[in-house]
Amino acid sequence: MTIAQQAEPKTYSFDEFITWYPESSKVRYELHNGVIIEMPKPKVKHSNLTGAIIEQILITIRQMGKGGIWTIPRKSIVKTKRELSGYEPDIIVLNQEVIGAEPRWESESIIQNPESVKLIVEVVSTNWRDDYYHKLRDYEEMGIEEYWIIDYAALGAIKFIGNPKQPTIFVCHLVDGEYQMNAFTDNSPIVSQTLHQFNLSAEQIFAMAL
């Protein structure tokens, strides 16, 4: 075995990752292509924004008459089709009408059926490539109906958020098996096919991080 081979990180299957995951861990972990990744500790603005968005989504859900049907769990892990990847979204909206078909939800908080998910939201942090590339690809491949990327700190690549960079929200909705990415900035009202009564602008959302 060469030195390079010895330095390669151990790879885990999804089930090995779930077995390894420390119970009641205060640190979030994800599995990326077989490698366990410790997720960055959220900054204050990230935490404030995530909490505020959860509140606004729950208000919208109640306005749509879906209260108690579409719910946001404290913790869940999404098992992708790639077998060697599993993600813990910042926010996930689940459909209680069909979640009974999830074989591992009750015992392990694992989601693997796209029908169980109405929406996933990722609030971008320093590992922005995961949200723009890996998770977008994997959620699309799974068939997740809608995926939001909230880049409040303008961390993403210029090709996504322009030059000069500006805070941007992407609403990615599945159309014929592919995500159609719609960008919202400044006072642009967010348009969501899933949360069609959501009525905040991008600027109003970014202000929640303060």
Side-chain angles (χ1 to χ4, degrees):
M1 179 179 293
T2 67
I3 294 177
Q5 288 174 320
Q6 290 176 341
E8 291 179 357
K10 172 179 170 56
T11 58
Y12 292 78
S13 69
F14 181 83
D15 287 339
E16 287 173 335
F17 166 62
I18 295 300
T19 299
W20 169 90
Y21 205 119
E23 190 172 348
S24 302
S25 174
K26 294 182 179 180
V27 178
R28 292 174 58 206
Y29 296 95
E30 294 186 340
L31 186 68
H32 292 208
N33 199 30
V35 178
I36 295 174
I37 304 294
E38 179 178 330
M39 304 309 292
K41 185 176 181 179
K43 304 291 186 182
V44 172
K45 288 185 177 181
H46 185 287
S47 296
N48 289 346
L49 182 55
T50 302
I53 293 170
I54 289 173
E55 181 180 7
Q56 293 301 319
I57 289 175
L58 288 173
I59 289 172
T60 303
I61 287 172
R62 288 193 291 271
Q63 290 173 340
M64 293 173 58
K66 296 292 185 178
I69 300 172
W70 293 3
T71 60
I72 300 177
R74 185 182 67 84
K75 178 181 178 182
S76 64
I77 295 178
V78 177
K79 182 179 185 294
T80 74
K81 286 188 174 183
R82 294 180 178 269
E83 298 296 333
L84 293 178
S85 294
Y87 305 130
E88 186 174 344
D90 288 321
I91 304 169
I92 185 169
V93 178
L94 299 178
N95 184 356
Q96 294 298 322
E97 292 180 318
V98 297
I99 202 160
E102 290 284 358
R104 304 176 67 174
W105 172 245
E106 288 292 335
S107 59
E108 299 171 290
S109 300
I110 293 172
I111 295 295
Q112 56 193 55
N113 298 329
E115 295 81 11
S116 302
V117 181
K118 299 305 298 182
L119 171 67
I120 286 179
V121 179
E122 297 287 2
V123 179
V124 176
S125 56
T126 52
N127 57 334
W128 61 268
R129 288 176 178 82
D130 293 335
D131 301 325
Y132 278 99
Y133 292 107
H134 306 149
K135 294 181 181 181
L136 187 143
R137 174 200 64 200
D138 290 342
Y139 293 153
E140 179 184 72
E141 185 179 34
M142 285 182 69
I144 300 298
E145 183 175 345
E146 193 164 291
Y147 170 44
W148 293 10
I149 301 172
I150 300 184
D151 195 349
Y152 73 97
L155 297 173
I158 289 172
K159 65 181 177 181
F160 291 114
I161 61 176
N163 187 15
K165 293 183 177 183
Q166 61 178 327
T168 305
I169 296 174
F170 289 94
V171 174
C172 311
H173 191 82
L174 208 63
V175 177
D176 295 330
E178 296 183 6
Y179 276 143
Q180 182 176 15
M181 296 180 68
N182 295 309
F184 300 92
T185 60
D186 301 322
N187 288 315
S188 305
I190 304 301
V191 178
S192 165
Q193 293 189 38
T194 299
L195 300 178
H196 52 81
Q197 292 190 28
F198 194 86
N199 61 4
L200 295 179
S201 69
E203 192 170 77
Q204 287 174 310
I205 291 176
F206 299 143
M208 296 176 183
L210 302 178

